[in-house]
RNA sequence: GCGCCUCUAGCUCAACGGCAGAGCAACGGACUCUUAAUCCGCAGGUUCUGGGUUCGAAUCCCAGGGGGCGCACCA
């Protein structure tokens, strides 16, 4: 076998046969060992994308011969042999086009007739229209590029079983319409975010994924172990602290687009690993971040759907800047028809009990306000809102509000009832930061296993001076969900986390 | 982690206590303009797994496994 230049796929047809266990398919009878089973080429260069051909020739009259020869490659999505003629639908990632073959003008016509849905094929021929007027390639020569030994699902229904779709995404991508569009949209979103930030002078950086201490968010981490260092490390729950250390180091505008990992339950809106955009801008505050969020989201929307007004899950959604800005206290007051004062704890407590929230004694009035907001307001917000001015006690990394005691300059951007962005005027005072960390550590000691730890390296960095800065974190998967009108986060992740099969 | 629903041929689904079936795919054949091509033929099963009830279980019960949704947690 090692001397056979056609390689294993072409030289050992018997192997194909043994591996074709799925649906009982096997090579055509004509491809028995030694009797000329097709030779798979190592390359098939200089092809024209099918979408380009469709666009160039558009609508022609029936029965036209253009005189233009093209070379194309793709996957057979439908196959309609008809005696001494055969029609196939070939698709690549730019579009699809019909192949038109005939015994009188196509080399190896008999073999082409035996090709199957799912096979990869390269072909050369003239661009024509058939008698019925369909743009086609009149195949003169062709080559099998890969044999599909397994099927791609039902012709009408594709593959519907979610388990099969997510476990075998390669099948899903060919068998169903939506998934490929969703992943391409995701790519456009990421590319747009990156270009937009670079256009504003931001520099993309990469910070560690293996953290000696989890930090930058309240979440349970994944733990792993480094053998040579003989120490446990944590997969990052947020890049925040490292990015701000870069700002201390003089990187005035930084961003990172990357995966973070949180050891929490799965749901249609939560995957254990997800993509977050975080950026930090020196000399800016949280109001500047609101403007940045609006421009980033609007740019992504234009890139994917062509505008900032769209439809999500049957409801219209307008992402056009500027977005509404309201404080958390205002929104909670609106919902309950009263005025909220953070210092009026008995009032907050009675509202919470009225809303059926189990109030815990150790909660401060800030935590009470946050609970009220999350349980009674957040899910009801639809069009975008920047929810501003969070309680200090639930925001250990944000800077105290310039005029409102007990609050910090923090906002979350809520779109379609869900948190899309979390952002602050960054806390640069190392003494306040140390006190906040210590309060978190105390909560952790009291049993809150999502509370933060004291990060001495981060405090050391702050002691060298963090300039005034605004920072934001944006959930990229959720943004893609909004722009592709999908309800399940797994639809916009190529290979979502699934429970492993087997014993 | 808890609750509800679900799992039948490669795929999409019937059969719902009484012989496990259809369409598509695949395989063999016919067919010179098809479009979900059509027509003829052939083959395809641990009904997710293991127990139980019953004369008889895909169907009812119990346990386990995968998935979906909801709750909790969170972005």
């Amino acid at each position: 076998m090692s001397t056979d230049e056609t390689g294993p796929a072409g030289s050992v047809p018997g192997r194909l046969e043994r591996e074709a266990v799925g649906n009982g398919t096997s090579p055509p009878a004509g491809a028995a060992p030694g009797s000329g089973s097709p030779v798979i080429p190592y390359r098939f260069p200089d092809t024209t994308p099918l979408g380009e051909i469709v666009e160039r020739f558009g609508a022609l009259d029936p029965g036209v011969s253009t005189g233009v020869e093209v070379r194309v490659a793709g996957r057979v999505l439908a196959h309609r042999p008809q005696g001494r003629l055969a029609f196939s639908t070939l698709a690549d990632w730019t579009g699809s086009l019909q192949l038109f073959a005939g015994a009188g003008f196509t080399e190896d016509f008999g073999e082409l007739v035996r090709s199957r849905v799912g096979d990869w094929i390269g072909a050369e021929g003239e661009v024509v229209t058939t008698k019925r007027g369909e743009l086609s390639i009149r195949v003169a020569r062709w080559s099998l590029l890969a044999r599909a030994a397994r099927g791609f699902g039902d012709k009408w229904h594709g593959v519907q079983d979610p388990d099969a779709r997510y476990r075998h995404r390669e099948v899903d991508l060919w068998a169903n319409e939506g998934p490929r569009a969703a992943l391409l949209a995701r790519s456009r979103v990421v590319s747009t975010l990156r270009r937009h930030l670079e256009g504003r002078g931001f520099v993309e950086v990469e910070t560690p994924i293996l953290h000696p201490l989890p930090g930058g968010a309240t979440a349970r981490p994944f733990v792993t172990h480094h053998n040579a260092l003989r120490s446990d490390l944590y997969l990052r729950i947020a890049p925040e602290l490292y990015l701000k250390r870069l700002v201390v180091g003089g990187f005035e505008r930084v961003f990172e687009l990357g995966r973070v990992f949180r050891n929490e339950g799965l749901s249609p809106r939560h995957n254990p690993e997800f993509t977050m955009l975080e950026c930090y801008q020196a000399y800016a505050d949280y109001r500047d971040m609101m403007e940045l969020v609006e421009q980033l989201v609007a740019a992504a929307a234009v890139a994917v759907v062509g505008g900032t007004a769209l439809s999500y899950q049957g409801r219209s959604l307008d992402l056009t800047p500027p977005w509404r800005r309201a404080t958390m206290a205002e929104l909670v007051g609106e919902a309950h028809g009263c005025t909220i004062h953070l210092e009026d704890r008995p009032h907050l407590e009675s509202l919470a009990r009225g809303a059926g929230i189990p109030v815990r004694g150790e909660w401060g009035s800030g935590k009470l306000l946050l609970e009220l907001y999350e349980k009674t307001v957040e899910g009801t917000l639809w069009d975008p809102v920047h929810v501003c001015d969070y309680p200090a006690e639930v925001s250990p990394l944000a800077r105290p509000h310039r005029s409102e005691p007990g609050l910090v300059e923090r906002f979350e951007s809520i779109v379609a009832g869900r948190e899309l962005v979390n952002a602050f005027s960054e806390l640069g005072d190392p003494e306040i930061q140390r006190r906040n960390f210590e309060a978190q550590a105390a909560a952790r000691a009291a049993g809150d296993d999502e509370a933060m730890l004291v990060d001495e390296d981060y405090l050391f960095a702050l002691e060298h001076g963090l300039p005034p800065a605004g920072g934001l974190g944006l959930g990229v998967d959720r943004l893609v969900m909004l722009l592709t009108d999908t309800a399940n986060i797994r639809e916009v992740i190529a290979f979502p986390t699934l429970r492993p099969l087997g014993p």
Side-chain angles (χ1 to χ4, degrees), chain A residues 448-465:
Chain A
D448 181 353
D449 57 2
E450 292 182 348
M452 297 179 189
L453 297 156
V454 179
D455 188 328
E456 291 292 347
D457 286 336
Y458 181 63
L459 292 170
F460 185 85
L462 287 189
E463 285 163 5
H464 294 83

Side-chain angles (χ1 to χ4, degrees), chain A residues 69-380:
Chain A
E69 293 275 329
V70 295
R71 191 171 151 88
V72 299
R75 180 161 237 152
V76 176
L77 288 195
H79 188 48
R80 298 178 291 278
Q82 187 173 332
R84 293 171 62 77
L85 292 180
F87 303 86
S88 300
T89 304
L90 192 72
D92 67 11
W93 67 344
T94 67
S96 64
L97 187 59
Q98 180 168 266
L99 295 183
F100 172 44
F105 54 86
T106 303
E107 285 182 14
D108 297 321
F109 176 77
E111 281 301 314
L112 185 58
V113 165
R114 276 188 285 274
S115 65
R116 297 191 292 241
V117 170
D119 288 350
W120 293 82
I121 278 180
E124 293 177 349
E126 184 184 359
V127 178
V128 301
T129 52
T130 59
K131 281 184 189 171
R132 295 288 179 90
E134 178 155 348
L135 190 68
S136 306
I137 292 169
R138 191 175 186 271
V139 178
R141 287 163 302 281
W142 68 283
S143 179
L144 181 69
L145 301 181
R147 180 70 84 193
R150 296 178 186 270
F152 282 82
D154 188 89
K155 191 195 299 183
W156 308 354
H157 305 98
V159 179
Q160 299 301 320
D161 178 24
D163 192 33
R165 291 184 49 224
Y166 298 137
R167 285 191 197 280
H168 302 293
R169 206 55 185 270
E170 62 283 347
V171 174
D172 185 33
L173 288 169
W174 281 108
N176 301 315
E177 287 286 329
R180 183 185 300 198
L183 294 183
L184 288 174
R186 181 187 185 104
S187 172
R188 278 199 292 281
V189 167
V190 169
S191 163
T192 301
L193 295 174
R194 187 171 269 134
R195 275 205 315 277
H196 189 96
L197 287 166
E198 286 172 347
R200 286 178 175 240
F202 282 83
V203 171
E204 183 169 12
V205 296
E206 293 172 282
T207 63
I209 288 175
L210 295 174
H211 287 191
L213 278 183
T218 52
R220 277 192 297 248
F222 287 93
V223 191
T224 187
H225 185 78
H226 191 285
N227 290 336
L229 294 176
R230 284 202 296 275
S231 64
D232 283 344
L233 293 170
Y234 302 88
L235 300 188
R236 68 179 176 193
I237 56 175
E240 172 153 354
L241 302 185
Y242 283 103
L243 289 172
K244 281 191 274 191
R245 287 169 68 181
L246 288 174
V247 178
V248 171
F251 279 67
E252 295 178 1
R253 295 185 182 199
V254 292
F255 75 96
E256 180 161 10
L257 253 168
R259 216 72 62 82
V260 298
F261 308 86
R262 299 189 182 177
N263 205 341
E264 290 154 355
L266 288 73
S267 88
R269 289 162 297 282
H270 301 84
N271 198 59
E273 54 178 302
F274 63 100
T275 300
M276 179 127 87
L277 167 69
E278 282 204 11
C279 47
Y280 294 86
Q281 179 177 346
Y283 323 127
D285 69 2
Y286 74 147
R287 290 166 206 244
D288 297 309
M289 293 299 101
M290 293 179 203
E291 188 269 344
L292 178 56
V293 165
E294 291 166 6
Q295 295 304 319
L296 283 169
V297 170
V302 168
V304 172
V305 300
T308 51
L310 51 99
S311 168
Y312 185 70
Q313 302 295 295
R315 279 181 77 176
S316 63
L317 181 64
D318 189 356
L319 302 175
T320 310
W323 297 354
R324 181 185 179 199
R325 300 179 184 189
T327 69
M328 182 179 289
E330 284 167 359
L331 290 167
V332 172
E334 249 174 47
H336 295 87
C338 58
T339 306
I340 299 294
H341 299 286
L342 193 58
E343 59 276 14
D344 189 354
R345 191 193 148 94
H347 182 219
L348 289 170
E349 203 168 319
S350 76
L351 285 177
R353 293 194 195 287
I357 298 169
V359 177
R360 290 189 206 162
E362 70 267 23
W363 288 358
S365 52
K367 175 68 172 168
L368 271 170
L369 177 61
L370 179 71
E371 287 288 325
L372 270 169
Y373 160 73
E374 288 184 343
K375 296 292 190 295
T376 66
V377 178
E378 188 178 86
T380 70

Side-chain angles (χ1 to χ4, degrees), chain A residues 50-69:
Chain A
L50 299 177
E52 207 171 281
I53 296 170
V54 171
E55 189 171 339
R56 176 173 163 196
F57 292 95
L60 296 176
D61 290 334
V64 170
S65 296
T66 65
V68 177
E69 293 275 329

Side-chain angles (χ1 to χ4, degrees), chain A residues 17-59:
Chain A
E17 191 164 23
R18 280 195 300 278
E19 291 184 350
V21 291
N23 56 3
T25 60
S26 58
S35 76
S37 77
V39 175
I40 307 279
Y42 279 83
R43 58 198 300 266
F44 197 81
D46 304 323
T47 56
T48 303
L50 299 177
E52 207 171 281
I53 296 170
V54 171
E55 189 171 339
R56 176 173 163 196
F57 292 95

